[in-house]
Amino acid sequence: MRADDDDDGFVLEELRSDYLTASFYEKQIIEEELVSPFGVRTSSHRTEYIRTIFQAEVTTGTLEVVDAPKSSHAFVNSLMSATDFKASFSDIRADVRAWVDTFQQIARLAGTVDLVQLGNVALENGSVGRIVAKGGAADIAASSLVGGRSSVIERMQLRIAGQSGKIVFNRSGGVSVEGVDLNTTLQPIRDSLWQQLG
């Protein structure tokens, strides 16, 4: 879908009865100005297209964005416009600890949690703080630092045993995967999230 006078648009890549896979392309024109040592200014224009790959599923009513850009403003606006503003979005709030545990069971992968970020840690006088624990048993260290005060796990990094790869699980339902085979881990990541959310 693309309007004739628009430089942004969607390309449908796969369509099935229960899901679709597509890409959104956003045109960006970058202007650069260079000043020579002699004070002469020259400018150039460069055009880039930023691609946002996504999958929408009918059965779960979900939208999954793969390799999301830093800003998704144009993507969301164009998606709303394409659906005549009938689409609605709601946040996912995952229990990160349960998600990581469920993922390891489904994927049958052992690993070590070597980074935990806790937010909304209750402090004195009604203040809240954030704690980041890194290292071998970061989840245990973070728990001992909190010491029974209320807090929320915002993200956890799972380092896969026997590999250099890691997966970062985020409370908002996002994951960052590095050095791990997506062909064997992407579906267990999805399944464990939905199983955890119930």
Side-chain angles (χ1 to χ4, degrees):
M1 173 188 160
R2 181 183 174 286
D4 291 336
D5 60 344
D6 198 0
D7 291 319
D8 300 338
F10 295 92
V11 174
L12 185 61
E13 295 168 8
E14 185 177 3
L15 180 61
R16 302 286 174 142
S17 61
D18 58 345
Y19 75 91
L20 68 82
T21 303
S23 292
F24 172 71
Y25 290 91
E26 177 186 1
K27 181 178 181 179
Q28 289 192 342
I29 299 174
I30 298 148
E31 296 184 27
E32 297 174 334
E33 186 174 81
L34 178 68
V35 180
S36 75
F38 310 107
V40 177
R41 294 180 185 272
T42 57
S43 62
S44 64
H45 304 281
R46 182 174 42 130
T47 303
E48 289 183 355
Y49 286 90
I50 298 181
R51 181 181 183 200
T52 303
I53 304 167
F54 65 97
Q55 180 172 319
E57 292 191 30
V58 174
T59 53
T60 59
T62 59
L63 176 73
E64 179 181 313
V65 179
V66 180
D67 198 17
K70 289 182 181 177
S71 171
S72 58
H73 184 72
F75 167 64
V76 171
N77 282 346
S78 294
L79 193 57
M80 293 299 291
S81 179
T83 62
D84 252 352
F85 298 94
K86 293 178 183 168
S88 63
F89 299 94
S90 59
D91 291 335
I92 291 176
R93 289 289 173 233
D95 176 339
V96 181
R97 172 83 262 171
W99 187 10
V100 169
D101 291 344
T102 306
F103 166 75
Q104 287 185 280
Q105 291 170 2
I106 291 173
R108 296 186 177 147
L109 287 173
T112 304
V113 174
D114 66 352
L115 183 142
V116 175
Q117 178 176 313
L118 298 174
N120 294 329
V121 179
L123 303 174
E124 294 178 15
N125 302 323
S127 299
V128 293
R130 175 173 285 152
I131 294 174
V132 177
K134 297 179 182 180
D139 51 344
I140 296 167
S143 295
S144 67
L145 282 171
V146 172
R149 292 177 285 196
S150 67
S151 64
V152 174
I153 299 175
E154 294 178 342
R155 67 184 172 124
M156 294 179 90
Q157 178 175 287
L158 178 67
R159 189 152 314 265
I160 306 301
Q163 300 181 27
S164 61
K166 62 184 179 183
I167 305 172
V168 179
F169 295 81
N170 190 301
R171 184 171 181 240
S172 64
V175 285
S176 173
V177 179
E178 184 180 311
V180 176
D181 182 13
L182 279 176
N183 292 323
T184 59
T185 56
L186 187 56
Q187 196 57 49
I189 288 170
R190 288 178 181 138
D191 293 345
S192 57
L193 175 62
W194 292 118
Q195 186 174 328
Q196 182 273 308
L197 291 173

